[in-house]
Amino acid sequence: MENVPFEKNTAGDPVVWLDRLATVFRNVNPNVQNGEQHPCQEVVMEMWPTLSQTFQKYSSDLRVMEHCCRCLRFAVRCVHQQSAPLLSPLVEQIVSLYATHGHSCFLYLGSILVDEYASEPGCVGGLLAMLEAFTQPTFILLTQPNGFRDHPDTVDDWFRLCARFLQRAPVPFLQCGAVNTILECGLQACMLDHKEANSAVLKFFQDLVEAGRKQEDQPDFETRRTLVDSIFNTHGEALVANLVTAAVFILPQYMHHDVAETFFQIMQYDRPKFCLWLETKLKVLPTKNSGGVDAVSRVELVEFHKTVTQAERTKEITRALVDFSRFFS
């Protein structure tokens, strides 16, 4: 294939054709019985070499990569697990391209693969290998100066990928070698003033809590609970402290709801520990505002702690966070 320059939105633009193909897969939804071959399965397999070549040829072009990933997303969603022959070569290619170019759309496509295949025990190992291969370049990117702020799309897609693992294969995910790196990144990313990225990070932590609390009738519950207990014993206090800092000093009020929901979930999991962690943070919180004037009294700190820890709804915590943050504005 010759690498010929193209003009956007013309017949030579690969995005035009990728979007048309994506539209077909998005809207084809036949009724396929168990054991039957999906009528689009052969088509997906036939188009894969062309899409793979597109990945390689235009790998430095973010726009083409995003639309190619989108096309594959709908192709996989169309035929579901009958796209299994693509899994290994697709994962290998997107891991390689991500390491070279860092396009976050590859993380997003990875989350689609987890959603479709992580329920299959035979696929989990390969998906975890994909996650671990994604982890090092992501960590290097985000831990650069201003890395979280400069790469919100990577934060968003990265933590959506991790949340998918928590939803689909929690025990293998919580036992994998990358989980501590992911948690360390999450503790910093939860203070990021970017609505979509911050929401994805906090949804990850909410799903982490749920992994240790929900579906008690499942055979893996005790293992999940033990793993989540260990994580919160190590990182819970830092998470609560960073979220208080974020709500009071960094995030706009319209983003306080996700912080409140995370607090509420942690209280549902272990209210006594949350109460202690919140108290510990409030004791070291600066009591002067940006103008150097006393912002909050001990009585007001105690009242805030009481309101949050006795809340029965997320809305009550949101209101308390908004009111409390005003002391420091």
Side-chain angles (χ1 to χ4, degrees), residues 223-269:
T223 304
R224 280 187 281 119
R225 180 80 189 194
T226 300
L227 290 165
V228 175
D229 273 345
S230 176
I231 287 170
F232 272 94
N233 287 337
T234 304
H235 300 290
E237 184 174 343
L239 174 61
V240 171
N242 286 2
L243 287 175
V244 171
T245 297
V248 173
F249 299 112
I250 301 171
L251 304 180
Q253 292 180 1
Y254 69 83
M255 291 174 62
H256 285 179
H257 173 79
D258 286 338
V259 176
E261 179 62 32
T262 307
F263 281 173
F264 188 74
Q265 292 286 350
I266 296 172
M267 280 196 289
Q268 297 289 101
Y269 185 79

Side-chain angles (χ1 to χ4, degrees), residues 5-13:
F6 61 86
E7 186 177 343
K8 285 176 62 174
N9 301 319
T10 64
D13 182 358

Side-chain angles (χ1 to χ4, degrees), residues 34 84 89 113 134 137 142 145 154 168 185 222 227 235 283:
N34 284 340
L113 298 177
F134 280 151
L142 296 181
T154 298
R168 302 298 185 202
C185 282
E222 289 300 327
L227 290 165
H235 300 290
K283 283 180 177 178

Side-chain angles (χ1 to χ4, degrees), residues 87 91 107 109-120 123-135 157-176 178-179 182 204 207-208 211 220 224:
L87 189 59
V91 166
L107 301 175
L109 183 55
S111 72
I112 301 299
L113 298 177
V114 171
D115 201 33
E116 288 290 339
Y117 287 102
S119 59
E120 290 293 315
C123 297
V124 172
L127 292 170
L128 285 173
M130 173 189 74
L131 176 72
E132 294 185 355
F134 280 151
T135 298
D157 290 328
W158 174 242
F159 282 96
R160 287 180 188 274
L161 169 62
C162 295
R164 287 284 172 84
F165 267 107
L166 278 172
Q167 294 159 10
R168 302 298 185 202
V171 170
F173 172 75
L174 293 171
Q175 291 174 332
C176 82
V179 73
I182 293 163
F204 164 76
D207 287 343
L208 177 62
D220 67 346
R224 280 187 281 119

